[in-house]
Amino acid sequence: PRSLPAVSPPRRAAASSQSASPPQASAGDGAAPRPPPTEVPVPASYLEANEHHLGSLAEYETLYNQSVADPDAFWSTIAREFYWEKPWPADAPAVSWNFDPTAGPVYAHWWKGGRTNICYNALDVHVAAGRGDNVAFFFEPNGDDDDGRRRSVTYAELLADVCRTANALTAAGIRAGDGVVTYMPMGVQLPTVMLAAARIGAVHSVVFGGFSPAALAARLAAAGAAVIVTTDGVGRGAKWVPLKAAADEAIALAAAEYGHTVTTQLVVRGGGGGEADVPMVTGRDVWWDDALAGAADTAPVVWVDAEDPLFCLFTSGSTGAPKGVVHTVGGYMVGAATTFKFSFNYMPGDVYFCTADCGWITGHTYVTYGPLLNGATQVIFEGIPTYPDAGRLWAIVARYRVNILYTAPTALRSLKRAGDAYVTAHDTSSLKVLGTVGEPINPEAWDWYYSVVGDASATVVDSYWQTETGAHVIVPLPVAGLSLKPGCAQLPHLGIVPALLDDNGNVVEGEGEGNLVIARPWPSALRTLMGDHGRMESTYFSRFPGYYMTGDGARRDADGHLWLTGRIDDVLNVSGHRMGTAEVESAIVGVPSVAEAAVVGIPHEVTGEALYAFVVLMPGVEGNDGLRAAITAELRARIGPIARVETLHWVGGRGLPKTRSGKILRRLLRLIATGGGEGDLGDVSTLADPSVLDELLGRPVA
Ligand code: 6R9
């Protein structure tokens, strides 16, 4: 048993004097708030106090140029740092690819024919090298350990648990290539199951615990998973969330709606006493502890091809059902490990803390795989940043002397609102790198992160990437000589060749704005969409043949730095969670008296974007609170609580603004939703019936 670190004293004596009463938000003292800076050098104190993988901007440029000039040699040198049971063929190129669907099927292969295992590289390698006693995870339970479950897990212990889990999955009939779905809260068991699946060559699909039974059922069927791992329930803030009950409902729905059978449900005891209320189905449901009780703590590694699938993670697109983004073992391993090391300047001995849930890509690449492949020690966090109070993250930073923190702008905005005193009550001086992810960060939130959380001595890494890219794509790397620009992701990561294209597909050179695309393959790129390679080609490669299309817009400034300007498609981003307008609209239309719906995103102070729904009702039906409640309930049931409509706009009998071909003019809806008036509407000549605008704007209708 290893002792947990003691709590450090608060950073500033003045702030510590407030005791029982919660810190107050710094009330305005009359002074106008200081505007956020436009450029801040990577802090000298950070540069001086730390060792560096990349010492300077010039070193970055040299390495970047190598990565682009000869990707084969560059990435293969890095790939050789991992263990390969069988090397890739020496006489074949490490990478082969085609990004042009008009020339043949789109693909990218890295080290095909080589055999490895990501779990072996993340765990066994470290234990064999004598690092087995290093802590892999410090687990911080919900609510500042209100139920005494705080613990730490070493690499050796994690390896043993992963092996026992792998044996339990094998006993449940899982073989290499089979799907395993998890529907669990964030905790140590979730990455344990992911690694166990990877160890035996199975393909994990993590479904975020906040998704509804209907959403889980669709994913179970799409992943073709016969085994699900769930948890009785979990404490989230002051609430108890009964996950097993939702999973039971999903399993029934998967059978009824998709003819899909789940044979085994492994149920983890989440703690908090909920298990007493969980009915178990004989022959299908097995308590995790019972399944693992007799399991051996060693398990053979199933060596797989570099191009075999590692996981499928469902994400939202602009149309239709969620897309199962598939990543493969070799390239993803190299991309996750390399970006973790360089983006965060991770050094052995650093303590890392990422607040993401493994239900999202960030939790895959920067909780489970990137850190463990580097042998890092990290904090795993169950619960929410505002419970028991808004000092939760800062208390954790102080407790473990966290060096690298990775969180989302939406969390920063809500914590900023709670007041600086929640931060200064704790010692956050250990921080050296402050990462953010999920959406563009507004300069005010950036400034608060930098000045208040980092005390102007840590560097900010605003990482732009996607489920599809698998790893960081554009980041302000923590190097000497770089001026950070709040809100700007800045530099392409190693091996990434970004380009801006205008709507006709012409390359925008120099300063300018356009569609952000990637011109060359990179190791951790998605390989396909589960069961639908055609959809992968049409979604990402057909509009601009030869390029991977991100779906985001970007602007290049005079320094050549890239600023992300938001989605150019109908994907919404609420609190960093991707949602397709189509998914939300089809849920709303599921309410009986609704005829049609159109949803747009509006700016929101905390969640970044919020949902504004235009709803057309059946003739003779009036919008009222009952209908509003029905819509809220339907969205919760089909998607989950994250799909919450901020503003409902009942549209009159003339309906939505459409073109003659029936396409909804979302541009106009966005303008109306954000309070735009007459003068802002621009060209409305494509409208089939211009009088719909009168009605939407509340003008007298002719
Ligand atoms: C990692 C992740 C991807 C979309 C992406 C973009 C937005 C993420 C961002 C950012 C600006 C950043 N996004 N990080 N926009 N700056 N630093 O979030 O993956 O859930 O697939 O979302 O999120 O719009 O296209 P995912």
Side-chain angles (χ1 to χ4, degrees):
R2 298 169 56 84
S3 59
L4 293 160
V7 184
S8 318
R11 168 156 33 125
R12 288 166 198 131
S16 67
S17 58
Q18 46 81 24
S19 47
S21 62
Q24 295 301 306
S26 42
D29 52 7
R34 173 175 66 87
T38 52
E39 258 185 66
V40 181
V42 171
S45 46
Y46 158 76
L47 292 168
E48 282 154 20
N50 293 288
E51 280 184 274
H52 303 277
H53 292 297
L54 282 173
S56 65
L57 197 52
E59 267 181 50
Y60 154 74
E61 276 160 7
T62 306
L63 208 62
Y64 176 79
N65 290 339
Q66 284 173 13
S67 74
V68 172
D70 191 350
D72 219 290
F74 178 85
W75 288 112
S76 294
T77 303
I78 294 177
R80 279 187 208 100
E81 291 168 14
F82 296 88
Y83 179 82
W84 294 78
E85 187 248 354
K86 177 175 158 245
W88 55 95
D91 54 350
V95 54
S96 59
W97 61 293
N98 170 45
F99 275 5
D100 181 355
T102 65
V106 168
Y107 75 100
H109 292 154
W110 289 84
W111 306 295
K112 198 171 166 62
R115 282 154 66 87
T116 186
N117 184 291
I118 197 169
C119 171
Y120 185 85
N121 278 292
L123 300 178
D124 304 57
V125 161
H126 302 307
V127 174
R131 295 190 287 270
D133 287 341
N134 289 4
V135 171
F137 297 134
F138 287 116
F139 175 62
E140 270 296 304
N142 183 47
D144 198 18
D145 197 28
D146 49 15
D147 52 3
R149 289 178 302 128
R150 180 176 283 144
R151 66 181 177 125
S152 65
V153 183
T154 66
Y155 271 84
E157 290 163 345
L158 182 59
L159 175 58
D161 281 346
V162 164
C163 286
R164 293 184 330 132
T165 309
N167 291 328
L169 291 176
T170 303
I174 293 295
R175 298 291 174 267
D178 292 348
V180 174
V181 162
T182 64
Y183 184 64
M184 302 164 74
M186 194 52 188
V188 172
Q189 279 104 345
L190 181 44
T192 302
V193 177
M194 294 162 76
L195 289 157
R199 188 172 193 83
I200 59 172
V203 182
H204 57 73
S205 278
V206 179
V207 177
F208 175 58
F211 275 117
S212 68
L216 173 58
R219 287 158 175 79
L220 275 169
V227 172
I228 180 172
V229 187
T230 183
T231 307
D232 52 354
V234 65
R236 231 184 110 68
K239 274 194 309 216
W240 176 256
V241 184
L243 280 174
K244 163 75 161 58
D248 286 345
E249 207 182 320
I251 293 170
L253 275 172
E257 291 190 17
Y258 305 95
H260 176 80
T261 307
V262 168
T263 56
T264 307
Q265 175 164 228
L266 291 167
V267 189
V268 174
R269 285 175 222 270
E275 63 264 39
D277 302 326
V278 171
M280 301 289 277
V281 175
T282 311
R284 186 196 73 187
D285 298 349
V286 184
W287 284 109
W288 171 268
D289 296 340
D290 297 339
L292 265 63
D297 59 9
T298 57
V301 172
V302 175
W303 302 105
V304 292
D305 193 282
E307 281 300 331
D308 280 345
L310 171 63
F311 66 85
C312 164
L313 181 61
F314 291 91
T315 188
S316 295
S318 51
T319 55
K323 301 177 292 198
V325 171
V326 176
H327 284 284
T328 56
V329 175
Y332 177 82
M333 174 170 79
V334 170
T338 308
T339 50
F340 176 76
K341 174 174 146 183
F342 285 101
S343 298
F344 301 134
N345 191 31
Y346 168 76
M347 289 287 169
D350 280 347
V351 176
Y352 167 78
F353 175 25
C354 170
T355 63
D357 188 295
C358 283
W360 313 108
I361 191 68
T362 303
H364 281 60
T365 309
Y366 300 108
V367 174
T368 301
Y369 292 112
L372 295 180
L373 287 164
N374 280 280
T377 292
Q378 67 178 309
V379 182
I380 284 207
F381 171 60
E382 175 192 79
I384 53 173
T386 48
Y387 181 83
D389 65 42
R392 184 83 181 104
L393 299 189
W394 322 125
I396 293 174
V397 166
R399 169 176 291 272
Y400 299 101
R401 307 285 310 147
V402 170
N403 306 108
I404 305 167
L405 176 64
Y406 196 28
T407 190
T410 183
L412 294 172
R413 286 189 296 263
S414 72
L415 296 176
K416 175 174 184 276
R417 277 225 301 213
D420 297 1
Y422 279 105
V423 183
T424 52
H426 302 281
D427 178 5
T428 58
S429 64
S430 54
L431 289 168
K432 69 168 190 179
V433 172
L434 303 170
T436 90
V437 58
E439 54 179 313
I441 182 165
N442 52 309
E444 294 74 17
W446 191 103
D447 188 26
W448 186 76
Y449 202 18
Y450 175 83
S451 315
V452 178
V453 176
D455 209 11
S457 56
T459 191
V460 177
V461 175
D462 169 7
S463 61
Y464 166 78
W465 61 295
Q466 308 176 298
T467 304
E468 292 87 340
T469 66
H472 294 163
V473 164
I474 302 176
V475 283
L477 285 165
V479 292
L482 183 71
S483 257
L484 304 170
K485 299 172 184 171
C488 177
Q490 295 188 298
L491 306 171
H493 216 293
L494 301 173
I496 298 291
V497 183
L500 301 181
L501 303 182
D502 69 19
D503 286 344
N504 299 318
N506 301 311
V507 175
V508 177
E509 307 275 9
E511 270 183 83
E513 197 163 335
N515 297 286
L516 178 66
V517 298
I518 304 177
R520 301 267 198 84
W522 64 101
S524 63
L526 85 164
R527 299 302 197 261
T528 192
L529 293 179
M530 187 66 134
D532 199 348
H533 196 67
R535 188 171 175 209
M536 134 101 170
E537 296 188 341
S538 61
T539 308
Y540 306 105
F541 296 94
S542 343
R543 176 146 177 229
F544 304 118
Y547 298 94
Y548 165 77
M549 182 177 83
T550 62
D552 287 295
R555 178 168 67 80
R556 190 189 291 109
D557 68 17
D559 299 323
H561 293 156
L562 290 165
W563 298 74
L564 276 297
T565 55
R567 299 290 304 194
I568 48 168
D569 52 15
D570 295 325
V571 172
L572 306 164
N573 189 327
V574 179
S575 297
H577 297 158
R578 269 167 76 168
M579 246 179 286
T581 45
E583 281 170 85
V584 179
E585 287 160 6
S586 74
I588 297 177
V589 174
V591 173
S593 352
V594 174
E596 199 177 10
V599 174
V600 297
I602 50 168
H604 187 278
E605 204 189 323
V606 172
T607 58
E609 250 185 336
L611 306 183
Y612 186 115
F614 293 88
V615 176
V616 185
L617 297 171
M618 298 294 188
V621 181
E622 289 278 313
N624 57 33
D625 285 349
L627 261 175
R628 166 186 291 273
I631 289 172
T632 305
E634 192 69 21
L635 281 165
R636 254 182 177 267
R638 295 237 200 157
I639 302 172
I642 55 173
R644 200 185 68 82
V645 168
E646 177 83 11
T647 312
L648 249 183
H649 186 138
W650 306 113
V651 178
R654 292 183 189 248
L656 297 166
K658 292 184 185 173
T659 62
R660 268 168 216 92
S661 60
K663 224 175 155 356
I664 296 171
L665 280 165
R666 290 176 189 278
R667 181 183 65 81
L668 292 180
L669 292 179
R670 247 175 250 126
L671 272 169
I672 291 166
T674 49
E678 197 79 36
D680 309 315
L681 296 177
D683 180 14
V684 294
S685 61
T686 52
L687 267 182
D689 172 8
S691 75
V692 298
L693 277 184
D694 298 328
E695 195 176 74
L696 279 169
L697 291 167
R699 295 188 298 221
V701 182

